[in-house]
Amino acid sequence: MTSSIPAVGTRTADGATLQAVFLDLDGTLVDTEGFWWEAEAQVFAELGHVLDDHHRQVVVGGPMTRSAAYLIEVTGADIGLDELTVLLNARFAERIARGVPLMPGARRLLAELSAHGVPTALVSASHRTIIDRMLHSLGPEHFRLTLAGDDLPRTKPHPDPYLTAAARLGVDPRRCAVVEDTVTGVTAGEAAGCQVVAVPSVAPIGPGLGRTVVGSLEEVDLPFLRSLITDGRYGVH
């Protein structure tokens, strides 16, 4: 879903402008990282393999193809990557059909960004069919643009998704805030030159240059996001 609506900046007290906000999906807006692990564990159990919990730290936040390839390698499962990807997406789709819980503060943040006309994009490594289903829980009206993992040749941790979102909205990545819950997503946002808010879900995320780590979306609002854009004077928050 794309839009030709021009970006509307939100000006800070020092003259810098927050031009757009880019939000991750799984583990950031919706509490579904555990759903993915359940789907992976169930599918591999049916293939005769038990997934060790430490593998969860490796696959969290990554694109489906990377996670599936890794799990095939470490388990030695006799299945092709394409077939496994189909099975995992189908199992996950079955799970989210029963409802998708939003993360604390997600609905309030989306409503606030919409109310103030801040261009907002949903940028996910999940497949298009998956994010389109979850948009019903989030409200598609909150997003000017959505990008899925299979919409581009390269997804997170590469910067491509965030650079593409910025280009399509006509904004400067350096004047955009990214909200992510995994190291994979944080790496992508930082590589794109955005200011990144990390809200760790499964694995911890340490502080870094141009990165702000918070405990929950309940700590994130529009004034907070505006404060991250400071005319290029980036630092550790």
Side-chain angles (χ1 to χ4, degrees), residues 60-136:
V60 65
M64 173 62 68
T65 51
R66 189 195 74 182
S67 299
Y70 168 81
L71 292 173
I72 290 173
E73 179 181 358
V74 297
T75 62
D78 184 19
I79 189 172
L81 180 59
D82 290 343
E83 182 183 359
L84 178 58
T85 299
V86 171
L87 290 176
L88 292 175
N89 274 316
R91 188 59 55 88
F92 184 77
E94 291 173 4
R95 180 63 182 85
I96 64 174
R98 302 198 295 271
V100 179
L102 270 62
M103 298 296 284
R107 193 175 300 282
R108 185 267 314 153
L109 177 60
L110 290 173
E112 182 180 13
L113 294 174
S114 291
H116 288 83
V118 180
T120 303
L122 182 66
V123 183
S124 175
S126 293
H127 281 203
R128 169 58 59 186
T129 55
I130 295 297
I131 72 170
D132 283 350
R133 291 190 184 193
M134 286 197 274
L135 274 172
H136 294 295

Side-chain angles (χ1 to χ4, degrees), residues 207-230:
L209 186 66
R211 178 191 311 169
T212 303
V213 182
V214 299
S216 160
L217 285 183
E218 293 182 319
E219 300 177 43
V220 180
D221 57 16
L222 183 52
F224 173 84
L225 294 172
R226 283 173 170 164
S227 73
L228 303 179
I229 311 302
T230 58

